[in-house]
């Protein structure tokens, strides 16, 4: 239930921010927020990240739909029932659904967050993109930490087994 609530919150926040940009900006407009670093823009992105598959909206709708369904069906095989993983699931499905709705409604996604780092201009993105990246990042970190804990537990278990084989007492670390 928590994942569903978080997914809806992310989806609503994404759609409200995109609608606000479409209402306040003309396509192609840019307004500096922090000059030389952060701008609000109105970009119509008909591709995926970094404009991959630009002009192939139907393929992107199909991919997004399939990924969303597969994540929901197979979530128990890669997510635990922990609070963090329920949050990750909600953020991920909210992000995927936010961009999917834009693709179905308009054939493109509204991007509006625009950053510059010196001479490097990062591609514009939106709340849904951020949610997807945050969810994937948190999942990777949580998986890495769980793997390290598991590995450490195995090492402790191996040391205990060796001590028992030698007839010594087993002490807790």
């Amino acid at each position: 239930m928590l994942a569903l609530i978080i997914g809806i919150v992310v989806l609503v926040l994404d759609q409200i921010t995109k609608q606000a940009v479409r209402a306040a900006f003309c396509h192609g407009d840019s307004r500096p927020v922090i000059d030389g670093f952060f701008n609000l823009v109105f970009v119509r992105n008909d591709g995926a990240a970094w404009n991959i598959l630009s002009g192939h909206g139907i393929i992107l709708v199909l991919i997004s739909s399939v990924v969303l369904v597969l994540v929901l069906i197979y979530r128990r095989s890669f997510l635990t029932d922990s609070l963090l993983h329920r949050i990750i699931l909600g953020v991920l499905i909210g992000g995927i659904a936010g961009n999917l709705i834009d693709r179905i409604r308009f054939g493109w996604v509204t991007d509006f967050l625009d950053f510059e780092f010196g001479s490097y201009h990062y591609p514009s993105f939106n709340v849904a993109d951020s949610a997807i990246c945050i969810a994937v990042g948190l999942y990777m970190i949580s998986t890495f930490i769980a793997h390290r804990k598991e590995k450490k537990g195995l090492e402790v278990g191996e040391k205990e087994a060796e001590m028992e084989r030698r007839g010594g007492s087993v002490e807790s670390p």
Side-chain angles (χ1 to χ4, degrees), residues 16-158:
I16 287 172
T17 55
K18 289 173 179 174
Q19 179 56 43
V21 167
R22 289 189 300 267
F25 289 72
C26 291
H27 178 251
D29 280 355
S30 177
R31 297 183 192 154
V33 176
I34 301 173
D35 200 30
F37 175 66
F38 174 53
N39 306 298
L40 291 176
V41 298
F42 178 11
V43 175
R44 294 177 181 165
N45 182 358
D46 67 347
W50 293 278
N51 224 17
I52 297 169
L53 292 175
S54 179
H56 295 87
I58 293 173
I59 292 171
L60 290 170
V61 166
L62 290 173
I63 290 170
S64 297
S65 300
V66 168
V67 168
L68 186 59
V69 168
L70 290 176
V71 164
L72 291 172
I73 290 172
Y74 292 107
R75 68 186 179 277
R76 288 192 175 102
S77 65
F78 61 91
L79 294 173
T80 66
D81 195 36
S82 70
L83 176 62
L84 178 59
H85 278 192
R86 286 182 279 158
I87 291 169
I88 289 169
L89 178 62
V91 172
L92 182 63
I93 62 176
I96 294 170
N99 280 342
L100 180 58
I101 287 171
D102 273 18
R103 290 187 196 292
I104 292 169
R105 285 180 65 199
F106 306 115
W108 41 266
V109 171
T110 302
D111 286 337
F112 59 91
L113 300 169
D114 184 65
F115 287 89
E116 302 172 43
F117 303 96
S119 63
Y120 180 71
H121 190 205
Y122 194 80
S124 302
F125 59 99
N126 58 48
V127 172
D129 297 334
S130 299
I132 293 166
C133 290
I134 289 167
V136 170
L138 286 174
Y139 177 73
M140 290 171 60
I141 291 167
S142 71
T143 302
F144 175 76
I145 290 169
H147 177 72
R148 286 195 62 189
K149 284 182 180 179
E150 182 180 307
K151 185 177 178 183
K152 187 174 183 176
L154 288 174
E155 289 172 1
V156 169
E158 290 169 0

